[in-house]
Amino acid sequence: MKQPGPDHPITLTPEPRRIRVLVAGVAVADTRKAVRLQEATYPPVFYIPRADIRADHFVPSARTSHCPYKGDARYFDLVVDGTRRPDAVWSYEAPFPAVAEIQGHVAFYPDRVDAIEVSETA
């Protein structure tokens, strides 16, 4: 396990804006309670609480991965009206302490969904 630091910073902040994730015209996630994770020089990632996803569209995948800063990730396919997006979603079920805030949240690959909308309005 590696700790975030000056050479590899990780910042977690509450995201007050509305985040919606769309696949085939369906909002598979819609929240105002996301956590924005900024890691090193990577683009920011929105982690959305499981309470704010449409779980019926999430199908567990066989894929897993490991991040030395965050822990072990599992993946999900998104299935909406016959449209399947393999490994479009990931989650850290037991994240390392430095990023404990993302437990119970999921994140989406922007290139595997139709849109990740960020807006100020309800």
Side-chain angles (χ1 to χ4, degrees):
M1 171 181 5
K2 292 186 176 183
Q3 293 294 321
D7 59 325
H8 193 96
I10 296 178
T11 305
L12 295 143
T13 54
E15 177 54 66
R17 296 176 295 177
R18 183 181 186 195
I19 309 296
R20 286 185 359 128
V21 181
L22 303 173
V23 173
V26 173
V28 296
D30 189 344
T31 192
R32 283 187 166 274
K33 298 174 187 164
V35 174
R36 183 179 188 268
L37 184 144
Q38 178 67 57
E39 180 175 1
T41 59
Y42 302 118
V45 174
F46 297 112
Y47 281 82
I48 296 176
R50 285 181 183 263
D52 295 335
I53 67 170
R54 297 265 314 267
D56 54 317
H57 295 293
F58 289 64
V59 177
S61 162
R63 181 176 177 201
T64 61
S65 66
H66 177 79
C67 171
Y69 294 95
K70 295 187 288 293
D72 294 323
R74 65 181 290 213
Y75 292 78
F76 300 87
D77 296 351
L78 286 171
V79 180
V80 178
D81 296 331
T83 298
R84 186 177 203 99
R85 304 292 172 82
D87 300 324
V89 183
W90 74 92
S91 175
Y92 291 93
E93 304 299 309
F96 292 152
V99 294
E101 290 174 63
I102 63 173
Q103 185 168 8
H105 292 64
V106 299
F108 298 81
Y109 284 108
D111 62 343
R112 296 183 189 176
V113 299
D114 295 336
I116 298 176
E117 297 177 345
V118 181
S119 64
E120 299 291 337
T121 60

